[in-house]
Amino acid sequence: IWKVSSVEEVQVVLERTGDTSDVFWLDDVPFDSMEKVVACLPKESMFIASVDPMQPDGAEVEMGKTYKGMGCASIFVRRACVGDAEDLEYAQFLVGRFTSKASSEFKFTGLTGSTNGHFGGVQASGSVKWKRVES
């Protein structure tokens, strides 16, 4: 796996390996540069993209879904688990949001209030406030 952050770094890896590299970890690539970096990867290659955790309004999930639409094989959420009390809840939040096919605008689930968040669960508000970010 080659860790790269720019078009230039991808080109260096491809030159050094004779265009045989096929797995890339796109780390610290600005969101607005991701398409350019992905476009220079070999067509048969796969890539993993990194996102920062606990962004306002779950932006890390939207970024991840955008990257998935570009062909991303996996999303790495930096510092998602750090050994504090929020690790499990945040991991469940990520798995639920990344795997959900439900609309991010309309949350009609047909589930009971205790399950769909009306009584304080993860879906109870549009934007989850993480204690780790507030401190």
Side-chain angles (χ1 to χ4, degrees), residues 3 11-12 19 22 28 47-48 61 64 84:
K3 183 179 174 185
Q11 291 170 340
V12 167
D19 293 331
D22 59 359
D28 291 325
F47 71 94
I48 301 161
V61 174
D84 69 9

Side-chain angles (χ1 to χ4, degrees), residues 1-119:
I1 299 175
W2 294 91
K3 183 179 174 185
V4 296
S5 300
S6 67
V7 169
E8 295 77 22
E9 288 180 4
V10 171
Q11 291 170 340
V12 167
V13 168
L14 293 175
E15 287 172 13
R16 289 184 182 170
T17 63
D19 293 331
T20 61
S21 302
D22 59 359
V23 182
F24 294 86
W25 177 12
L26 306 184
D27 191 39
D28 291 325
V29 177
F31 184 74
D32 59 349
S33 299
M34 186 62 83
E35 283 188 82
K36 290 178 185 175
V37 176
V38 171
C40 75
L41 298 175
K43 291 190 188 323
E44 66 282 354
S45 69
M46 64 175 276
F47 71 94
I48 301 161
S50 297
V51 296
D52 288 324
M54 299 183 173
Q55 296 182 35
D57 297 322
E60 69 272 32
V61 174
E62 293 309 311
M63 289 173 69
K65 288 183 175 186
T66 299
Y67 296 159
K68 180 73 174 166
M70 294 178 190
C72 183
S74 187
I75 304 296
F76 177 77
V77 182
R78 293 183 205 94
R79 298 174 306 281
C81 295
V82 297
D84 69 9
E86 287 185 306
D87 282 356
L88 179 59
E89 183 179 358
Y90 186 59
Q92 291 172 331
F93 167 81
L94 289 172
V95 169
R97 293 286 176 95
F98 277 129
T99 60
S100 173
K101 294 183 180 182
S103 169
S104 59
E105 294 178 34
F106 302 103
K107 294 187 181 178
F108 298 110
T109 64
L111 301 173
T112 65
S114 63
T115 302
N116 67 18
H118 291 159
F119 304 128

